[in-house]
Coordinates of all heavy atoms in Angstrom, one line a residue:
W15 N 120.4 43.5 230.7 CA 120.8 43.9 229.4 C 121.9 42.9 229.0 O 122.7 42.6 229.7 CB 121.3 45.3 229.5 CG 121.8 45.8 228.2 CD1 121.0 46.5 227.3 CD2 123.0 45.9 227.6 NE1 121.7 46.9 226.2 CE2 123.0 46.5 226.4 CE3 124.3 45.2 228.0 CZ2 124.1 46.6 225.6 CZ3 125.4 45.4 227.3 CH2 125.3 46.1 226.0
S16 N 121.8 42.7 227.6 CA 122.9 41.8 227.1 C 123.3 42.4 225.7 O 122.6 42.7 224.9 CB 122.4 40.4 226.8 OG 123.3 39.6 226.1
G17 N 124.6 42.4 225.6 CA 125.3 42.8 224.3 C 125.1 41.7 223.2 O 125.4 42.0 222.1
G18 N 124.6 40.6 223.6 CA 124.6 39.4 222.6 C 123.2 39.3 222.1 O 122.9 38.3 221.4
G19 N 122.2 40.1 222.5 CA 120.8 39.9 222.0 C 119.9 40.3 223.1 O 120.3 40.6 224.2
G20 N 118.7 40.3 222.8 CA 117.6 40.6 223.7 C 117.5 39.6 224.9 O 118.0 38.4 224.8
I21 N 116.9 40.0 226.0 CA 116.8 39.1 227.1 C 115.6 38.1 226.9 O 114.5 38.5 226.6 CB 116.5 39.9 228.4 CG1 117.7 40.8 228.7 CG2 116.2 38.9 229.6 CD1 118.9 40.1 228.8
A22 N 115.8 36.9 227.0 CA 114.8 35.9 226.9 C 114.1 35.3 228.2 O 113.1 34.9 228.2 CB 115.4 34.6 226.1
G23 N 115.0 35.6 229.2 CA 114.3 35.2 230.5 C 115.1 35.8 231.7 O 116.3 36.2 231.5
G24 N 114.5 35.7 232.9 CA 115.2 36.1 234.1 C 114.9 35.3 235.3 O 113.9 34.5 235.2
E25 N 115.7 35.2 236.3 CA 115.5 34.4 237.5 C 116.0 35.2 238.7 O 116.8 36.0 238.7 CB 116.4 33.1 237.4 CG 116.0 32.2 236.1 CD 117.0 31.1 236.0 OE1 118.1 31.4 235.7 OE2 116.6 30.0 236.2
V26 N 115.3 34.8 239.7 CA 115.6 35.4 241.0 C 115.9 34.3 242.2 O 115.2 33.4 242.1 CB 114.5 36.3 241.5 CG1 114.8 36.8 242.9 CG2 114.3 37.5 240.5
S27 N 116.8 34.6 242.9 CA 117.2 33.5 244.0 C 117.0 34.3 245.3 O 117.4 35.4 245.6 CB 118.6 33.0 243.9 OG 118.9 32.3 245.0
T28 N 116.4 33.7 246.4 CA 116.2 34.2 247.7 C 117.1 33.5 248.7 O 117.0 33.8 249.9 CB 114.6 34.2 248.2 OG1 114.3 32.8 248.1 CG2 113.8 35.0 247.1
D29 N 117.8 32.5 248.2 CA 118.7 31.7 249.1 C 120.1 31.6 248.6 O 120.7 30.6 248.7 CB 118.1 30.3 249.2 CG 118.0 29.5 247.9 OD1 118.5 30.0 247.0 OD2 117.5 28.5 247.9
D30 N 120.6 32.8 248.2 CA 122.0 33.1 247.9 C 122.4 32.1 246.7 O 123.6 31.6 246.6 CB 122.9 32.7 249.1 CG 124.1 33.7 249.1 OD1 124.0 34.8 248.5 OD2 125.2 33.4 249.6
G31 N 121.5 31.7 245.8 CA 121.9 31.1 244.6 C 121.7 29.6 244.6 O 122.0 29.0 243.7
A32 N 121.2 29.1 245.7 CA 121.0 27.6 245.8 C 119.8 27.2 244.9 O 119.8 26.1 244.3 CB 120.8 27.2 247.2
H33 N 118.8 28.1 244.8 CA 117.6 27.8 244.0 C 117.3 29.0 243.3 O 117.4 30.1 243.7 CB 116.4 27.3 244.8 CG 116.7 26.2 245.6 ND1 117.1 26.1 246.9 CD2 116.5 24.8 245.3 CE1 117.4 24.8 247.3 NE2 116.9 24.0 246.4
W34 N 116.7 28.9 241.9 CA 116.3 30.0 241.2 C 114.9 29.9 240.8 O 114.4 28.8 240.4 CB 117.3 30.2 240.0 CG 118.7 30.4 240.3 CD1 119.6 29.6 240.6 CD2 119.2 31.8 240.4 NE1 120.8 30.3 240.9 CE2 120.6 31.7 240.8 CE3 118.7 33.0 240.2 CZ2 121.4 32.7 241.0 CZ3 119.6 34.1 240.4 CH2 121.0 34.0 240.7
A35 N 114.1 31.0 240.9 CA 112.8 31.0 240.5 C 112.6 31.9 239.3 O 113.2 32.9 239.1 CB 111.9 31.5 241.5
P36 N 111.8 31.4 238.3 CA 111.6 32.3 237.0 C 111.0 33.7 237.3 O 110.0 33.8 238.0 CB 110.9 31.4 236.1 CG 110.1 30.4 236.9 CD 111.0 30.3 238.1
A37 N 111.4 34.6 236.6 CA 110.8 36.0 236.6 C 110.0 36.1 235.4 O 110.2 35.4 234.4 CB 111.8 37.1 236.7
R38 N 109.0 37.0 235.5 CA 108.0 37.3 234.4 C 108.5 38.5 233.6 O 108.6 39.6 234.2 CB 106.6 37.5 234.9 CG 105.6 37.7 233.8 CD 104.2 37.7 234.3 NE 104.0 38.8 235.1 CZ 103.5 40.0 234.8 NH1 103.2 40.3 233.6 NH2 103.4 41.0 235.7
L39 N 108.9 38.4 232.4 CA 109.4 39.4 231.5 C 108.2 40.3 231.2 O 107.1 39.8 230.8 CB 110.1 39.0 230.3 CG 111.4 38.2 230.5 CD1 111.9 37.8 229.1 CD2 112.4 39.2 231.2
L40 N 108.5 41.6 231.3 CA 107.4 42.6 231.0 C 107.5 43.2 229.6 O 106.7 43.9 229.1 CB 107.3 43.7 232.1 CG 107.1 43.2 233.5 CD1 107.3 44.4 234.4 CD2 105.8 42.5 233.6
D41 N 108.6 42.8 229.0 CA 109.0 43.4 227.6 C 109.4 42.3 226.7 O 109.9 41.3 227.2 CB 110.2 44.4 227.6 CG 110.0 45.6 228.7 OD1 108.9 46.2 228.5 OD2 110.8 45.9 229.5
R42 N 109.2 42.5 225.4 CA 109.6 41.5 224.4 C 111.1 41.7 224.3 O 111.6 42.7 224.5 CB 108.9 41.6 223.3 CG 109.0 43.0 222.5 CD 108.4 42.8 221.1 NE 108.4 44.2 220.5 CZ 109.4 44.6 219.8 NH1 110.5 43.8 219.6 NH2 109.5 45.8 219.2
P43 N 111.7 40.5 224.0 CA 113.2 40.7 223.8 C 113.5 41.7 222.6 O 113.1 41.6 221.6 CB 113.7 39.3 223.4 CG 112.6 38.4 224.0 CD 111.3 39.2 223.8
R44 N 114.6 42.6 222.9 CA 115.0 43.6 222.0 C 116.4 43.7 222.1 O 117.0 43.8 223.2 CB 114.4 44.9 222.2 CG 112.8 45.0 222.0 CD 112.2 46.2 222.4 NE 112.5 46.4 223.8 CZ 111.8 47.3 224.5 NH1 110.9 48.1 224.0 NH2 112.2 47.5 225.8
A45 N 117.1 43.6 221.1 CA 118.6 43.8 221.2 C 119.0 45.1 221.7 O 118.3 46.2 221.4 CB 119.2 43.5 219.8
D46 N 120.1 45.2 222.5 CA 120.6 46.4 223.0 C 119.6 47.3 223.8 O 119.7 48.5 223.7 CB 121.2 47.3 221.8 CG 122.3 46.5 221.1 OD1 123.0 45.8 221.8 OD2 122.3 46.7 219.8
N47 N 118.8 46.6 224.5 CA 117.8 47.3 225.3 C 117.7 46.7 226.8 O 118.0 45.5 226.9 CB 116.4 47.3 224.7 CG 116.2 48.5 224.0 OD1 116.4 49.6 224.2 ND2 115.7 48.3 222.7
W48 N 117.3 47.4 227.8 CA 117.0 46.8 229.0 C 115.7 46.1 228.9 O 114.9 46.5 228.2 CB 116.9 47.9 230.1 CG 118.3 48.5 230.4 CD1 118.8 49.7 229.8 CD2 119.3 48.1 231.3 NE1 120.1 49.9 230.2 CE2 120.3 49.1 231.2 CE3 119.2 47.2 232.2 CZ2 121.5 48.9 232.0 CZ3 120.5 47.0 233.1 CH2 121.5 47.9 232.9
S49 N 115.5 45.1 229.9 CA 114.2 44.5 229.9 C 113.7 44.5 231.3 O 114.4 44.2 232.3 CB 114.5 43.0 229.5 OG 114.8 42.9 228.1
R50 N 112.5 44.9 231.4 CA 111.9 44.9 232.8 C 111.3 43.6 233.1 O 110.9 42.9 232.2 CB 110.7 45.9 232.8 CG 111.2 47.3 232.4 CD 110.0 48.4 232.4 NE 109.1 47.8 231.4 CZ 107.7 47.9 231.4 NH1 107.3 48.6 232.5 NH2 107.0 47.5 230.5
W51 N 111.2 43.2 234.4 CA 110.7 41.9 234.8 C 110.1 42.1 236.1 O 110.3 43.1 236.9 CB 111.8 40.9 234.8 CG 112.9 41.2 235.5 CD1 114.1 42.0 235.1 CD2 113.2 41.0 237.0 NE1 115.1 42.2 236.1 CE2 114.5 41.6 237.3 CE3 112.5 40.5 238.0 CZ2 115.0 41.5 238.5 CZ3 113.1 40.4 239.3 CH2 114.4 41.0 239.5
S52 N 109.4 41.0 236.6 CA 108.8 41.1 237.9 C 108.8 39.7 238.4 O 108.9 38.7 237.6 CB 107.3 41.7 237.9 OG 106.5 40.8 237.3
V53 N 108.8 39.6 239.9 CA 108.6 38.3 240.4 C 107.9 38.3 241.8 O 108.0 39.4 242.4 CB 110.1 37.7 240.7 CG1 110.9 38.6 241.7 CG2 110.0 36.2 241.2
S54 N 107.1 37.4 242.1 CA 106.4 37.4 243.4 C 107.4 36.8 244.4 O 108.0 35.8 244.2 CB 105.2 36.7 243.4 OG 104.3 37.3 242.5
W55 N 107.5 37.5 245.7 CA 108.2 36.9 246.7 C 107.5 37.2 248.1 O 107.1 38.3 248.3 CB 109.6 37.7 246.7 CG 110.4 37.3 247.9 CD1 110.9 36.0 248.2 CD2 111.1 38.3 248.6 NE1 111.8 36.1 249.3 CE2 111.9 37.4 249.6 CE3 111.2 39.6 248.7 CZ2 112.7 38.0 250.6 CZ3 112.0 40.2 249.8 CH2 112.8 39.4 250.6
R56 N 107.5 36.1 248.8 CA 106.9 36.3 250.3 C 108.1 36.0 251.2 O 108.4 34.7 251.3 CB 105.7 35.2 250.4 CG 104.5 35.7 250.0 CD 103.3 35.0 250.6 NE 102.1 35.3 250.1 CZ 101.3 36.3 250.5 NH1 101.8 37.3 251.3 NH2 100.3 36.5 249.9
P57 N 108.5 36.9 252.0 CA 109.7 36.6 252.9 C 109.1 35.8 254.0 O 107.9 35.7 254.4 CB 110.1 38.0 253.4 CG 109.3 38.9 252.6 CD 108.2 38.3 251.8
T58 N 110.1 34.8 254.4 CA 109.6 33.9 255.6 C 110.0 34.4 256.9 O 109.7 33.8 257.9 CB 110.3 32.5 255.3 OG1 111.7 32.6 255.2 CG2 109.7 32.0 254.0
A59 N 110.9 35.6 256.9 CA 111.4 36.0 258.2 C 111.8 37.6 258.0 O 112.0 37.9 257.0 CB 112.5 35.3 258.6
K60 N 111.7 38.2 259.1 CA 112.2 39.7 259.2 C 113.6 39.7 259.2 O 114.2 38.7 259.7 CB 111.5 40.4 260.3 CG 110.0 40.5 260.2 CD 109.5 41.4 261.3 CE 107.9 41.5 261.1 NZ 107.3 42.2 262.2
G61 N 114.2 40.8 258.8 CA 115.6 41.0 259.0 C 116.2 41.3 257.6 O 115.6 41.5 256.6
R62 N 117.6 41.2 257.6 CA 118.5 41.5 256.4 C 118.6 40.3 255.6 O 118.8 39.2 256.1 CB 119.8 42.0 256.8 CG 119.6 43.5 257.5 CD 120.9 43.8 258.1 NE 121.4 44.8 257.2 CZ 122.6 45.4 257.2 NH1 123.4 45.1 258.3 NH2 123.0 46.2 256.4
T63 N 118.4 40.4 254.3 CA 118.7 39.3 253.3 C 119.1 39.9 252.1 O 119.4 41.2 251.9 CB 117.5 38.4 253.1 OG1 117.7 37.3 252.4 CG2 116.4 39.2 252.6
R64 N 119.2 39.1 251.0 CA 119.5 39.7 249.8 C 118.9 38.8 248.7 O 118.7 37.6 248.7 CB 121.0 39.9 249.4 CG 121.9 38.7 249.5 CD 123.3 38.9 249.2 NE 124.0 37.7 249.4 CZ 125.4 37.7 249.0 NH1 126.0 38.8 248.8 NH2 126.0 36.6 249.1
L65 N 118.5 39.5 247.5 CA 117.9 38.9 246.4 C 119.0 38.8 245.3 O 119.7 39.8 245.1 CB 116.6 39.6 245.9 CG 115.6 39.7 247.0 CD1 114.4 40.5 246.3 CD2 115.1 38.5 247.5
L66 N 119.1 37.7 244.6 CA 120.0 37.7 243.5 C 119.2 37.7 242.3 O 118.1 36.9 242.2 CB 120.9 36.4 243.6 CG 122.1 36.5 244.5 CD1 121.7 36.6 245.9 CD2 122.8 35.1 244.4
A67 N 119.6 38.4 241.1 CA 119.0 38.4 239.9 C 119.8 38.1 238.7 O 121.1 38.6 238.8 CB 118.4 39.8 239.7
R68 N 119.5 37.3 237.9 CA 120.3 37.1 236.8 C 119.4 36.9 235.5 O 118.2 36.6 235.5 CB 121.1 35.7 236.7 CG 120.3 34.5 236.9 CD 121.2 33.3 237.0 NE 120.4 32.1 237.1 CZ 120.9 30.8 237.4 NH1 122.1 30.7 237.8 NH2 120.1 29.7 237.4
A69 N 119.9 37.1 234.3 CA 119.2 37.0 233.1 C 119.9 36.1 232.1 O 121.0 35.8 232.2 CB 119.1 38.6 232.4
T70 N 119.0 35.6 231.1 CA 119.6 34.7 230.0 C 119.1 35.5 228.8 O 117.9 35.8 228.6 CB 119.0 33.4 230.0 OG1 119.4 32.8 231.4 CG2 119.4 32.4 228.9
D71 N 120.1 35.6 227.7 CA 119.6 36.3 226.5 C 119.1 35.3 225.5 O 119.2 34.1 225.8 CB 120.8 37.1 225.9 CG 122.0 36.4 225.6 OD1 121.9 35.2 225.2 OD2 123.1 37.0 225.5
V72 N 118.7 35.8 224.3 CA 118.1 34.8 223.3 C 119.2 33.9 222.8 O 118.8 33.0 222.0 CB 117.5 35.7 222.1 CG1 116.4 36.6 222.6 CG2 118.7 36.7 221.5
R73 N 120.4 34.1 222.9 CA 121.5 33.1 222.5 C 121.8 32.1 223.6 O 122.5 31.1 223.3 CB 122.7 33.8 222.2 CG 122.8 34.8 221.1 CD 124.0 35.4 220.8 NE 124.1 36.4 219.7 CZ 125.0 37.0 219.2 NH1 126.2 36.8 219.8 NH2 124.9 37.8 218.2
G74 N 121.1 32.2 224.7 CA 121.2 31.2 225.8 C 122.3 31.4 226.7 O 122.7 30.6 227.7
T75 N 123.0 32.6 226.6 CA 123.9 33.0 227.7 C 123.4 33.6 228.9 O 122.5 34.5 228.9 CB 124.9 34.1 227.0 OG1 125.3 33.6 225.8 CG2 126.1 34.4 227.9
T76 N 123.7 32.9 230.0 CA 123.2 33.4 231.4 C 124.3 34.1 232.1 O 125.5 33.8 232.0 CB 122.8 32.1 232.2 OG1 121.7 31.5 231.4 CG2 122.3 32.5 233.5
Q77 N 124.0 35.0 232.8 CA 125.0 35.9 233.6 C 125.6 34.9 234.5 O 125.1 34.1 235.2 CB 124.2 37.0 234.4 CG 123.8 38.1 233.6 CD 123.1 39.1 234.4 OE1 121.9 39.0 234.6 NE2 123.8 40.0 235.1
P78 N 127.1 35.1 234.6 CA 127.7 34.3 235.5 C 127.7 34.7 237.0 O 127.2 35.9 237.2 CB 129.3 34.5 235.0 CG 129.3 35.9 234.4 CD 127.9 36.1 233.8
A79 N 128.1 34.0 237.9 CA 128.0 34.2 239.3 C 129.0 35.3 239.6 O 128.7 36.3 240.5 CB 128.4 33.0 240.3
T80 N 130.1 35.4 239.1 CA 131.1 36.5 239.3 C 131.7 37.0 237.9 O 131.5 36.3 236.9 CB 132.3 36.1 240.1 OG1 132.9 34.9 239.5 CG2 131.9 35.6 241.5
S81 N 132.1 38.1 238.0 CA 132.7 38.8 236.7 C 134.3 38.9 236.8 O 134.8 39.0 237.9 CB 132.1 40.2 236.5 OG 132.5 40.7 235.2
V82 N 134.9 38.9 235.7 CA 136.3 39.0 235.7 C 136.7 40.4 236.0 O 136.2 41.3 235.4 CB 136.9 38.5 234.3 CG1 138.4 38.8 234.3 CG2 136.7 37.1 233.9
H83 N 137.5 40.5 237.0 CA 138.0 41.9 237.4 C 138.8 42.6 236.5 O 139.6 42.1 235.8 CB 138.8 41.9 238.8 CG 139.1 43.2 239.2 ND1 138.3 44.1 239.7 CD2 140.4 43.8 239.2 CE1 139.0 45.3 240.1 NE2 140.2 45.0 239.7
N84 N 138.4 44.0 236.2 CA 139.4 44.7 235.4 C 139.4 46.1 236.0 O 138.4 46.5 236.7 CB 139.0 44.8 233.9 CG 137.6 45.5 233.7 OD1 137.5 46.6 233.7 ND2 136.7 44.5 233.5
E85 N 140.5 46.8 235.9 CA 140.7 48.1 236.7 C 139.5 49.2 236.2 O 139.3 50.0 237.1 CB 142.1 48.6 236.2 CG 143.2 47.9 236.9 CD 143.1 47.8 238.4 OE1 142.9 48.7 239.1 OE2 143.5 46.6 238.8
Q86 N 139.1 49.2 235.0 CA 138.1 50.2 234.7 C 136.7 49.8 235.0 O 135.9 50.6 235.0 CB 138.3 50.5 233.2 CG 139.5 51.3 232.8 CD 140.7 50.2 232.7 OE1 140.4 49.1 232.3 NE2 141.9 50.7 233.0
G87 N 136.5 48.6 235.3 CA 135.0 48.2 235.7 C 134.2 47.9 234.5 O 132.9 47.8 234.6
Y88 N 134.8 47.8 233.3 CA 134.0 47.6 232.0 C 133.7 46.2 232.0 O 134.2 45.3 232.6 CB 134.8 48.0 230.9 CG 135.1 49.4 230.8 CD1 136.6 49.8 230.7 CD2 134.3 50.4 230.7 CE1 136.8 51.1 230.6 CE2 134.6 51.7 230.7 CZ 135.9 52.1 230.5 OH 136.1 53.5 230.5
L89 N 132.5 45.9 231.2 CA 132.0 44.5 231.0 C 131.6 43.8 232.2 O 131.6 42.6 232.1 CB 133.1 43.8 230.2 CG 133.5 44.4 228.8 CD1 134.7 43.6 228.2 CD2 132.3 44.7 227.8
F90 N 131.1 44.5 233.3 CA 130.6 43.8 234.4 C 129.4 43.1 234.0 O 128.3 43.6 233.4 CB 130.3 44.8 235.4 CG 129.6 44.1 236.6 CD1 130.5 43.6 237.6 CD2 128.3 44.1 236.8 CE1 130.0 42.9 238.7 CE2 127.7 43.5 237.9 CZ 128.6 42.9 238.8
D91 N 129.3 41.7 234.1 CA 128.1 41.0 233.7 C 127.7 39.8 234.7 O 127.0 39.0 234.4 CB 128.5 40.3 232.4 CG 129.7 39.3 232.5 OD1 130.4 39.3 233.5 OD2 129.7 38.5 231.6
A92 N 128.0 40.2 236.0 CA 127.9 39.2 237.0 C 126.4 39.2 237.5 O 125.7 40.2 237.3 CB 128.8 39.4 238.1
V93 N 126.0 38.2 238.2 CA 124.7 38.2 239.0 C 124.7 39.3 239.8 O 125.6 39.7 240.5 CB 124.5 36.8 239.7 CG1 123.4 36.9 240.7 CG2 124.4 35.6 238.8
I94 N 123.6 39.9 239.9 CA 123.4 41.2 240.8 C 122.9 40.8 242.1 O 121.8 40.0 242.3 CB 122.4 42.3 240.0 CG1 123.0 42.7 238.7 CG2 122.4 43.5 241.1 CD1 124.3 43.3 238.7
R95 N 123.4 41.4 243.1 CA 123.0 41.0 244.6 C 122.3 42.2 245.1 O 123.1 43.3 245.3 CB 124.1 40.5 245.4 CG 124.7 39.2 245.0 CD 126.1 38.9 245.3 NE 126.4 37.5 245.1 CZ 126.8 37.0 243.8 NH1 126.8 37.8 242.8 NH2 127.2 35.6 243.6
H96 N 121.1 42.1 245.5 CA 120.3 43.3 245.9 C 120.0 43.2 247.6 O 119.3 42.1 247.9 CB 119.0 43.4 245.3 CG 119.1 43.6 243.8 ND1 119.3 44.8 243.2 CD2 119.0 42.7 242.7 CE1 119.5 44.7 241.9 NE2 119.2 43.5 241.7
P97 N 120.6 43.9 248.3 CA 120.4 43.9 249.8 C 119.0 44.4 250.0 O 118.5 45.4 249.5 CB 121.4 44.7 250.4 CG 121.8 45.7 249.3 CD 121.6 45.0 248.1
V98 N 118.2 43.6 250.9 CA 116.9 43.9 251.3 C 116.7 43.8 252.8 O 117.3 42.8 253.4 CB 115.9 43.0 250.7 CG1 114.5 43.2 251.0 CG2 116.0 43.1 249.1
T99 N 115.9 44.6 253.4 CA 115.6 44.6 254.8 C 114.1 44.4 254.8 O 113.3 45.1 254.5 CB 116.0 45.8 255.7 OG1 117.4 46.0 255.6 CG2 115.6 45.6 257.1
V100 N 113.7 43.2 255.4 CA 112.3 42.9 255.6 C 111.9 43.4 257.0 O 112.5 43.1 258.0 CB 112.1 41.4 255.5 CG1 110.5 41.0 255.7 CG2 112.5 40.9 254.1
T101 N 110.8 44.1 257.0 CA 110.3 44.6 258.4 C 108.9 44.2 258.7 O 108.2 43.5 257.9 CB 110.3 46.2 258.3 OG1 109.4 46.6 257.2 CG2 111.6 46.8 258.1

């Protein structure tokens, strides 16, 4: 989701942000709405890992690696890190 416009693209990293693979958007860009996406991933090993996800909006703004801290937690816009266990 982006307050600056609809989502134009998404990416996923399986190596802690060293490389990014494009995700396939499932919705057309719409302002002030969430966008669904999918990506194919074949784990190379069992165990704990994490997937990173980031989006770019129609204005070309991409989510930053980290967000500026504030006490209320508002305006969080950083890359999301999803813990995954491969069995």
Side-chain angles (χ1 to χ4, degrees):
W15 184 87
S16 168
I21 299 301
E25 299 171 294
V26 173
S27 175
T28 60
D29 58 7
D30 217 27
H33 301 92
W34 293 88
R38 185 173 62 91
L39 291 181
L40 303 176
D41 301 309
R42 63 179 174 80
R44 297 174 298 200
D46 301 323
N47 272 307
W48 291 90
S49 292
R50 298 173 305 142
W51 53 270
S52 69
V53 65
S54 295
W55 173 53
R56 280 203 186 276
T58 57
K60 292 182 179 182
R62 300 172 97 180
T63 188
R64 64 182 176 175
L65 304 177
L66 280 60
R68 69 180 180 189
T70 300
D71 67 22
V72 295
R73 293 183 180 179
T75 304
T76 299
Q77 286 177 270
T80 59
S81 191
V82 176
H83 176 75
N84 65 77
E85 292 299 321
Q86 292 79 31
Y88 296 119
L89 304 174
F90 177 83
D91 62 351
V93 168
I94 304 298
R95 290 156 171 82
H96 300 279
V98 175
T99 301
V100 178
T101 59

